[in-house]
Amino acid sequence: MAIKKIAYDTKHLAVCGVTFDSEAAALKHLPDGDGGPETAASHYKVFDVDYDPSTDYISSYELNAEGTALVNPFAGKTIEEQTTLVEQRYESRKINRQKGIKKHQIKIIAKDAIQALEWKINRAKDEDAINGNTNALRAVYQEREDIRVKSNAAEAEVAAMTSYNDVCNYDPKAYLSA
């Protein structure tokens, strides 16, 4: 084993896949930062790692909880096992990223639908004042609550998905308008 420099891309949550003998060599070969060809983009960090390619799959490395070092969470496993686990980690991150996008879309669609009911609230208040009850306002408030319930159910449905394609193909507009 030898101490090597490994660059980690904090933007994409992955090592660059190449070891370097010095930080200067790493900075020279990473995509340029604002300081020119001898600096790396700010989302790269270079770390000293006691790296043994015969036991450590380089893509296994990730930032420790403090963000101060690289660790191999799959240390002790074979290279093949580490490779499989890295692929699973990548797939999981990809699915979770897409789930976040879909959940955000659901929230926006629900918010827009609730805001679209504002005119109904004003009209219902007028009707209730004339009729001496709260029936119309209660009905509009129930519409808003129905949107929230559907939105929560849509988010739960997305959260339960395990397939990237299922998440990508999920249409929040169709679900919420049904």
Side-chain angles (χ1 to χ4, degrees):
M1 290 198 283
I3 300 296
K4 291 290 188 178
K5 300 286 185 181
I6 297 180
Y8 186 80
D9 184 342
T10 59
K11 183 177 177 182
H12 298 102
L13 305 177
V15 296
C16 73
V18 178
T19 61
F20 301 97
D21 291 324
S22 69
E23 187 164 348
L27 295 175
K28 180 179 177 184
H29 289 93
L30 294 169
D32 292 348
D34 293 336
E38 299 303 316
T39 64
S42 61
H43 56 90
Y44 285 100
K45 293 184 178 187
V46 180
F47 296 96
D48 285 330
V49 177
D50 194 5
Y51 175 67
D52 182 355
S54 68
T55 60
D56 295 316
Y57 179 52
I58 194 166
S59 294
S60 294
Y61 284 95
E62 63 185 20
L63 271 179
N64 66 2
E66 297 81 24
T68 57
L70 292 179
V71 294
N72 182 352
F74 313 127
K77 303 212 180 288
T78 67
I79 296 291
E80 293 77 22
E81 290 170 327
Q82 290 179 55
T83 302
T84 300
L85 291 166
V86 166
E87 289 168 1
Q88 290 170 351
R89 179 175 67 194
Y90 172 76
E91 187 68 17
S92 176
R93 285 179 179 165
K94 188 171 81 166
I95 290 169
N96 288 337
R97 201 170 22 253
Q98 192 64 32
K99 283 181 180 182
I101 291 167
K102 292 298 179 175
K103 286 179 180 180
H104 184 69
Q105 290 173 347
I106 290 165
K107 287 181 186 308
I108 289 171
I109 293 166
K111 178 184 171 206
D112 290 346
I114 288 170
Q115 285 178 340
L117 294 175
E118 282 301 313
W119 69 272
K120 278 189 169 183
I121 291 172
N122 289 330
R123 187 180 75 185
K125 286 178 183 177
D126 292 345
E127 283 180 34
D128 287 345
I130 291 168
N131 296 326
N133 61 38
T134 59
N135 295 344
L137 191 55
R138 190 173 303 131
V140 176
Y141 285 159
Q142 187 58 55
E143 281 185 65
R144 287 197 330 190
E145 182 59 20
D146 292 346
I147 292 168
R148 289 185 185 105
V149 167
K150 255 186 172 179
S151 173
N152 290 341
E155 286 188 47
E157 191 172 314
V158 168
M161 292 180 179
T162 57
S163 160
Y164 180 75
N165 288 336
D166 288 348
V167 178
C168 287
N169 294 328
Y170 186 80
D171 184 1
K173 283 183 183 178
Y175 184 88
L176 293 172
S177 65

